[in-house]
Amino acid sequence: MRVIGYLLLLLASQLAFADGVISRHLHHPVPGGIAVVPLGTQSSAPRAHYQGKPVLIVREAQQWLAIVGLAQKSPSGTHQLITTDGRQFDFQVGRKHYRKQHIKLANRRQVNPLADDLTRINRELAEQNIAYQTFSANQPSNLLFDKPVNGPLSSPFGLRRFFNGEERNPHSGLDFAVGTGTPVKAPAAGKVILLGDYFFNGKTVFVDHGQGLISMFCHLAKIEVQVGQPLPRGAVLGRVGATGRATGPHLHWNVSLNDARVDPAIFIGAFTP
């Protein structure tokens, strides 16, 4: 009877997980996606790591859930999440195919940078990586985001990108086709943690939503916030432009989770399997 009772409790827990809003919207365990991993119903919040990095933990329907970002290079198969008390939770990562995109740039330095450009690029990359690795204690106000701009998607996440025929890093965010000067709004509450005017990204804003959930907005024409500034959901943080490596005005929006760039479409209900 004790075994039957345990099995019934486990089944009820799994059904609650399957019916939860977070799991329905966010659980897309593929490269560049998100795995929602149930961690149990204990009274206090567990802490967990994936590949040595802390992960976002939330509670839904009296159950703790780990919200795990999966890098685009993640292999398919069984992955492990480890809690700080030594428990291991296995979850499966599937496959996803990303198509190619060919882009023609008139400025060849943005394809094959000069030596001085590379010094700048490496310095800027290090600065941005520190921002992506931010893990603040505060929990995100919401995991279902608004679009940062109202406009059509022009380039999806994950495209294998070829600039003037040469393959470079895949597309790490979503592009929205909107005009210069369009206000860019915070998709959820957060705090500004980094501003920059970068070789590739142009004028850029990083926003920390809490527990390793970071948004990055780039190619802006104008930045309208300061580092350390708290942003309520919907606050204007800048204006759309074409700064950096851009062929025209648009917004590029990245979302990073436990330092893995994931598909922002998941957070706005626009993910395509």
Side-chain angles (χ1 to χ4, degrees), residues 216-235:
M216 187 272 282
F217 311 86
C218 66
H219 304 309
L220 302 175
K222 184 180 180 183
I223 294 172
E224 299 187 356
V225 291
Q226 302 294 326
V227 171
Q229 180 176 335
L231 296 178
R233 187 185 190 107

Side-chain angles (χ1 to χ4, degrees), residues 74-133:
S74 298
S76 60
T78 303
H79 289 235
Q80 290 81 36
L81 182 75
I82 308 296
T83 60
T84 53
D85 59 5
R87 292 178 296 156
Q88 177 175 306
F89 294 82
D90 291 349
F91 62 94
Q92 297 299 313
V93 175
R95 300 177 184 273
K96 184 171 173 59
H97 173 73
Y98 292 101
R99 61 185 177 86
K100 298 178 182 180
Q101 181 186 40
H102 290 267
I103 300 172
K104 202 74 173 176
L105 292 174
N107 185 350
R108 296 190 178 186
R109 283 177 60 187
Q110 293 182 333
V111 181
N112 296 297
L114 303 176
D116 287 347
D117 297 330
L118 288 173
T119 299
R120 174 187 172 187
I121 289 166
N122 290 333
R123 182 181 67 249
E124 293 174 350
L125 180 61
E127 184 175 274
Q128 292 173 77
N129 282 339
I130 291 172
Y132 280 129
Q133 292 162 13

Side-chain angles (χ1 to χ4, degrees), residues 132-240:
Y132 280 129
Q133 292 162 13
T134 298
F135 192 89
S136 55
N138 55 299
Q139 194 166 85
S141 63
N142 204 313
L143 294 178
L144 304 180
F145 286 2
D146 296 329
K147 289 182 179 180
V149 293
N150 290 320
L153 298 178
S154 55
S155 291
F157 173 88
L159 291 172
R160 290 181 56 199
R161 307 182 84 182
F162 294 79
F163 292 95
N164 297 357
E166 299 184 32
E167 186 167 12
R168 294 294 185 264
N169 290 332
H171 194 226
S172 59
L174 288 184
D175 285 354
F176 293 85
V178 288
T180 299
T182 302
V184 179
K185 299 179 181 179
K191 184 176 77 171
V192 179
I193 56 171
L194 179 65
L195 305 176
D197 190 352
Y198 300 123
F199 184 86
F200 287 129
N201 291 350
K203 293 181 179 178
T204 300
V205 175
F206 279 78
V207 175
D208 173 20
H209 301 291
Q211 289 197 44
L213 181 57
I214 310 292
S215 280
M216 187 272 282
F217 311 86
C218 66
H219 304 309
L220 302 175
K222 184 180 180 183
I223 294 172
E224 299 187 356
V225 291
Q226 302 294 326
V227 171
Q229 180 176 335
L231 296 178
R233 187 185 190 107
V236 174
L237 57 89
R239 304 282 168 169
V240 170

